[in-house]
Amino acid sequence: MDALVKRQYGTSDPLRVRIETHLRHSEKQGDLDEVCFELMGLMGPEAILEVGFGRGTFLRYIRQQGHQGRLVGVDQSPTMVAESQAASEGITPEIEWRVGEANALDFPNGCFDWLVARHMLYHVPDIPGALRGFIRVVGPEGRLLFTTNSERSLPLLHALRKEALEALGLPPRQDATSSFTVENAREVLEPAGLNVEEYIGENAFVFTEPEPLVAYIATMEPFLKYVRDSPPLWEKIERWLYQEIERQMGENGGVWRDPKYGGVFLCRPKDSTL
Ligand SMILES: C[S@@+](CC[C@H](N)C(=O)[O-])C[C@H]1O[C@@H](n2cnc3c(N)ncnc32)[C@H](O)[C@@H]1O
């Protein structure tokens, strides 16, 4: 497992801040849980495995809609598992939360109707290997749902992060998510033996003050590392960010607007008879 992924998800706070920022500062209101649930068209008894469930909101949402089938979540982060377990106490039928690795799913062949992997495949070092395991656990009649971001998303934010590192003489960041994007999703999924239907959504981040944008940037690498390990350096970066964001907002009528695009990919194994 990648050390950056371990640090990024060792606590749930950075992910919570990012999800809340998307909910509060998106131009169009729209909840990914609702969108995915609608697209899946569940009937009620289906068994669903979610890999990389993060805060566990999607499986809880599915249960809250009255879904009775088996729900299992696997995540590499013991913290995410413990917090999701605590957050679902009292929910029935129970949701099973397990620590596990996408590349080593410990389930019999074909024991799920659906496999869900949202905003996580780009963290997996061996994507073809993981996809073989995903297809194995749903079997030929199963279905899979993936979500990811676009390479074209948030150009202003990416430029700002790059400029901040340059201005303070810090090493450039590595792009951690380019192995699975809206643009290359078909090239990744189809050779693995999947038929793919894609749904692309367009939205934008809109900020009218720097605080929430700086808080969002603080959750992303390498800034998260500086926040945790070098607070004086982070204070310098933070000051630079505030000044630059205020300057850019000033030039744009007090508003920071940055377009973003996301994709949902619904898949069936190519040998499906359905
Ligand atoms: C960006 S979060 C996505 C959370 C959730 N799916 C959502 O849509 O809100 C990525 C999650 O994938 C998990 N993860 C990353 N790599 C993994 C792997 N190889 N195996 C299992 N879980 C992994 C992380 O611990 C984290 O909880």
Side-chain angles (χ1 to χ4, degrees):
M1 170 59 53
D2 191 304
L4 280 185
V5 172
K6 281 229 174 297
R7 181 168 62 219
Q8 179 70 239
Y9 301 108
T11 72
S12 62
D13 286 349
L15 182 59
R16 179 182 53 74
V17 168
R18 285 206 299 279
I19 292 173
E20 286 176 3
T21 309
H22 282 285
L23 287 172
R24 288 189 190 138
H25 296 278
S26 290
E27 194 166 64
K28 293 184 209 157
Q29 290 311 305
D31 177 33
L32 188 63
D33 291 344
E34 280 172 29
V35 170
C36 293
F37 183 76
E38 287 284 307
L39 285 172
M40 288 168 77
L42 298 170
M43 306 298 287
E46 297 91 338
I48 303 171
L49 172 63
E50 181 175 13
V51 181
F53 57 76
R55 303 191 67 234
T57 58
F58 188 45
L59 290 182
R60 280 197 296 283
Y61 178 83
I62 293 176
R63 191 58 96 218
Q64 281 155 5
Q65 305 314 302
H67 190 84
Q68 293 296 302
R70 183 183 181 200
L71 299 181
V72 183
V74 167
D75 198 290
Q76 61 80 35
S77 164
T79 307
M80 300 293 185
V81 171
E83 291 188 7
S84 295
Q85 249 154 6
S88 17
E89 243 170 60
I91 295 179
T92 55
E94 207 175 296
I95 304 174
E96 301 164 48
W97 306 102
R98 300 190 190 181
V99 178
E101 166 55 45
N103 279 90
L105 294 180
D106 187 14
F107 299 100
N109 294 355
C111 71
F112 292 101
D113 299 294
W114 276 93
L115 183 135
V116 173
R118 303 191 324 169
H119 286 81
M120 69 79 59
L121 204 53
Y122 42 67
H123 290 314
V124 174
D126 172 14
I127 295 180
L131 291 175
R132 276 195 297 280
F134 291 3
I135 295 170
R136 180 185 68 73
V137 299
V138 295
E141 313 307 346
R143 300 197 67 189
L144 304 93
L145 178 146
F146 302 92
T147 66
T148 191
N149 297 321
S150 165
E151 288 160 19
R152 295 182 297 133
S153 277
L154 303 176
L156 289 183
L157 177 65
H158 292 313
L160 183 72
R161 289 161 73 193
K162 186 165 175 281
E163 283 160 23
L165 296 174
E166 280 169 8
L168 290 142
L170 296 166
R173 77 185 180 96
Q174 308 296 324
D175 187 355
T177 61
S178 58
S179 60
F180 186 64
T181 62
V182 163
E183 286 72 21
N184 69 16
R186 274 186 188 278
E187 286 160 44
V188 172
L189 298 171
E190 287 178 348
L194 293 170
N195 284 324
V196 180
E197 278 170 50
E198 67 179 33
Y199 301 85
I200 311 297
E202 187 178 345
N203 205 334
F205 255 160
V206 179
F207 296 98
T208 51
E209 52 190 4
E211 280 84 358
L213 180 50
V214 175
Y216 186 85
I217 293 171
T219 70
M220 308 176 103
E221 295 293 354
F223 303 97
L224 182 62
K225 178 172 66 155
Y226 301 134
V227 171
R228 288 182 179 165
D229 302 344
S230 323
L233 175 57
W234 168 245
E235 276 173 29
K236 274 193 199 164
I237 302 172
E238 210 179 12
R239 269 200 300 278
W240 187 93
L241 287 170
Y242 269 94
Q243 277 180 1
E244 181 57 19
I245 295 167
E246 274 166 1
R247 188 189 69 72
Q248 294 189 17
M249 280 179 174
E251 281 180 358
N252 292 290
V255 177
W256 168 288
R257 184 185 181 283
D258 208 6
K260 55 179 183 167
Y261 310 88
V264 180
F265 299 87
L266 284 189
C267 306
R268 282 185 195 282
K270 283 184 179 156
D271 50 1
S272 167
T273 55
L274 295 177

